[in-house]
Amino acid sequence: MLDVTLCGVQFQNPLVLASGILGLTGAGMYRVIESGAGAVTMKSVSEQERPGHPNPTMVGNQTYFLNAVGLSNPGIEEAKKEIEHFKQLSHAPLIGSIFAGTRDGFVRLAEHIDEMPIDLLEVNLSCPNVGQEFAEPFAYSKEAVKQITKDIKEKTKKPISIKLSPNVWNIAELAKAAEAAGADAITAVNTVSGMAIDVRARRPILHNTHGGVSGPALFPIALKCVYDMYEAVKIPIIGTGGVTTGEDALAMIMAGATLVGVGSAVYYRGEDCFQKITNEIKDTMNSEGIKNLDEIRGIAHETMNNKQITIR
Ligand SMILES: Cc1cc2nc3c(=O)[nH]c(=O)nc-3n(C[C@H](O)[C@H](O)[C@H](O)COP(=O)(O)O)c2cc1C
């Protein structure tokens, strides 16, 4: 009922752990699969270890999380051990994620990770929290997206998904650039830029001043991004951003997503949120008479295109 195929990889259900949340160790990612996820994405890795930004790096409330973790990770060599450990524990699909500050860095990482047992490679071009170090994210420029996608495709046999940002005027144009350069899928969205101020302390809460907004507040933004991209590209979309309930996940699929990324919901509903969301998807499918996800993928577009206005 819930199984999905994306880039030739089979998923038992469409829910994928988004990058950066519980994705640092093989054991942690295995726990997420045991809690009902269809696949996991590992934390973005760079060539060398990165400490990330100083604390505080995260603040949240019932509607949003704001983080400026700053891509802290142990580097590709350590990540390799965790990937291998995960693959010993589970046959579920594993999505690798890479991050670099330069085109060459991305290419070297892609070459390196190509030897590892990942099923799909996500290319994180869109972190909004490391601008002071790396300047504008590549995901803000069609030309940069095109170049890096093309370069990486030449170096890896793995299917690649380009991770895009909602901090742009027209994300569909960026998705088209990635598709034209050979991307196999799009992951969208990364966090949207934001900040929080402590009124009593009279200063920004995050040490980095600003960060990326995730969680429920991001959902309508992400949903529109997926809807717009689905009209523009033929490659599959991993719809990510604020998905917290089964209805959110179904809406993402109706907007056009093939898989649905789930990140911050882990903070709101616990590690077993994957099982909870899956149960909610099944309940809604049963009550709505939906037999499988192919039946409803992108259906929100059809209903709008066939819209009939009745004048009473
Ligand atoms: C603490 C934290 C760390 C993150 N780290 C990464 C990362 O390393 N690479 C990446 O591509 N996205 C990263 N993200 C973004 C998520 O993968 C996801 O795109 C975003 O949070 C929106 O989904 P959500 O609302 O379900 O969390 C991170 C998000 C959070 C909250």
Side-chain angles (χ1 to χ4, degrees):
M1 179 188 204
L2 293 186
D3 52 309
V4 176
T5 305
L6 176 133
C7 299
V9 182
Q10 301 226 301
F11 299 78
Q12 276 189 356
N13 70 62
L15 303 183
V16 182
L17 175 72
S19 181
I21 294 110
L22 303 175
L24 266 178
T25 67
M29 292 189 287
Y30 174 62
R31 264 203 339 263
V32 172
I33 293 294
E34 289 291 284
S35 329
V40 286
T41 311
M42 60 190 245
K43 169 85 188 162
S44 297
V45 288
S46 41
E47 289 186 283
Q48 309 300 334
E49 180 183 356
R50 284 178 55 82
H53 294 310
N55 282 322
T57 55
M58 234 171 141
V59 56
N61 62 25
Q62 285 188 329
T63 47
Y64 69 82
F65 262 96
L66 179 69
N67 94 82
V69 171
L71 291 165
S72 60
N73 76 89
I76 186 81
E77 281 307 328
E78 283 302 311
K80 184 177 178 179
K81 294 179 201 156
E82 301 302 334
I83 291 172
E84 280 161 5
H85 188 210
F86 174 79
K87 281 293 176 180
Q88 283 161 9
L89 298 170
S90 172
H91 296 299
L94 171 61
I95 303 175
S97 172
I98 54 172
F99 166 79
T102 62
R103 252 170 85 181
D104 289 350
F106 268 111
V107 171
R108 282 193 301 271
L109 275 166
E111 244 175 330
H112 203 139
I113 212 163
D114 196 46
E115 306 148 16
M116 301 182 195
I118 57 165
D119 298 277
L120 182 79
L121 173 60
E122 199 165 273
V123 182
N124 178 7
L125 300 182
S126 46
C127 181
N129 312 324
V130 285
Q132 271 145 343
E133 216 178 322
F134 301 113
E136 182 180 296
F138 294 117
Y140 295 3
S141 148
K142 278 193 282 188
E143 216 30 60
V145 166
K146 224 181 231 173
Q147 283 296 346
I148 294 177
T149 306
K150 196 166 152 289
D151 290 351
I152 291 179
K153 276 304 280 182
E154 279 168 14
K155 297 293 176 192
T156 176
K157 293 179 285 302
K158 309 276 184 202
I160 70 166
S161 184
I162 300 297
K163 187 155 181 185
L164 294 179
S165 168
N167 299 315
V168 292
W169 159 240
N170 188 345
I171 195 170
E173 289 299 317
L174 280 305
K176 273 184 356 200
E179 182 181 54
D184 301 280
I186 301 290
T187 305
V189 294
N190 210 317
T191 51
V192 70
S193 269
M195 74 180 294
I197 289 177
D198 181 330
V199 170
R200 276 155 207 90
R202 303 174 187 200
R203 53 182 292 180
I205 294 177
L206 298 183
H207 186 276
N208 189 53
T209 312
H210 64 277
V213 177
S214 62
L218 181 59
F219 179 69
I221 298 166
L223 191 65
K224 179 178 185 292
C225 288
V226 171
Y227 188 90
D228 289 351
M229 290 187 298
Y230 186 77
E231 304 237 321
V233 298
K234 298 210 160 41
I235 52 178
I237 301 164
I238 305 177
T240 307
V243 173
T244 315
T245 66
E247 290 225 354
D248 294 342
L250 285 167
M252 271 290 183
I253 294 166
M254 289 183 180
T258 298
L259 294 175
V260 177
V262 176
S264 301
V266 172
Y267 306 122
Y268 289 100
R269 302 190 71 189
E271 218 172 284
D272 59 345
C273 67
F274 295 93
Q275 197 56 61
K276 291 175 183 161
I277 297 173
T278 304
N279 290 342
E280 290 162 2
I281 293 176
K282 283 185 185 159
D283 286 348
T284 306
M285 286 173 77
N286 284 333
S287 64
E288 291 294 311
I290 301 163
K291 295 202 173 40
N292 61 60
L293 297 176
D294 291 341
E295 212 179 285
I296 54 159
R297 183 161 303 104
I299 201 161
H301 298 260
E302 285 170 36
T303 45
M304 285 316 285
N305 294 339
N306 299 335
K307 188 166 72 176
Q308 293 191 354
I309 300 168
T310 314
I311 300 171
R312 289 167 200 263

